[in-house]
Amino acid sequence: MILLNFSHPLTAGQLEQFPGPKIDRVVDVKTHFDPARPFAEQALALIDSLGFSGEQWQTTPLLVNPPSLSVLACAVLAELHGRIGHFPPVLRLRPVPGSVPTQFEAAEVVDLQTIRLQAREKR
């Protein structure tokens, strides 16, 4: 599985205690958005910069550590959904209790596609 990391760099320790499937490769994506420009076009450019082919988007097992800013995360996930054909699972980090300075650990893998499918049953 490839982890697309749109947030802060992850440490070897965070990856070792990872609660999900084995991570074969981490792609650290330099994520900087200009608040004066539309986020949709910036998300498009960011995902284009990864250089995956249409086939790779649809066949490569991916996990996403989304950008920290929620609106950016939404734009990136919408762009990924369009290319992959479904929502990718995302990594949730949480603060390590009592750590100074604050450190983060992998808490869970959130299966967005399953959440979406379950929500569709309630409409």
Side-chain angles (χ1 to χ4, degrees):
M1 176 162 291
I2 296 175
L3 172 59
L4 299 178
N5 182 26
F6 295 93
S7 193
H8 299 285
L10 299 168
T11 67
Q14 288 169 318
L15 293 172
E16 285 173 9
Q17 54 89 38
F18 182 71
K22 181 181 179 291
I23 302 297
D24 299 311
R25 186 175 85 172
V26 176
V27 177
D28 287 312
V29 184
K30 300 263 187 224
T31 305
H32 175 75
F33 279 65
D34 179 350
R37 292 183 40 228
F39 280 4
E41 70 182 36
Q42 292 181 78
L44 170 72
L46 183 65
I47 301 305
D48 277 347
S49 77
L50 296 174
F52 284 44
S53 69
E55 182 178 337
Q56 287 173 309
W57 282 120
Q58 294 178 49
T59 61
T60 304
L62 297 172
L63 173 67
V64 175
N65 186 22
S68 300
L69 184 60
S70 62
V71 174
L72 301 180
C74 292
V76 165
L77 288 171
E79 185 65 35
L80 288 171
H81 184 288
R83 293 176 190 229
I84 297 168
H86 57 83
F87 281 110
V90 296
L91 177 60
R92 181 176 72 89
L93 301 176
R94 66 176 166 224
V96 175
S99 61
V100 178
T102 304
Q103 297 176 8
F104 293 85
E105 63 186 1
E108 66 177 319
V109 172
V110 180
D111 185 347
L112 296 179
Q113 186 63 23
T114 296
I115 293 170
R116 178 188 181 273
L117 293 172
Q118 289 172 348
R120 287 181 59 91
E121 294 174 6
K122 297 180 182 192
R123 57 182 188 165

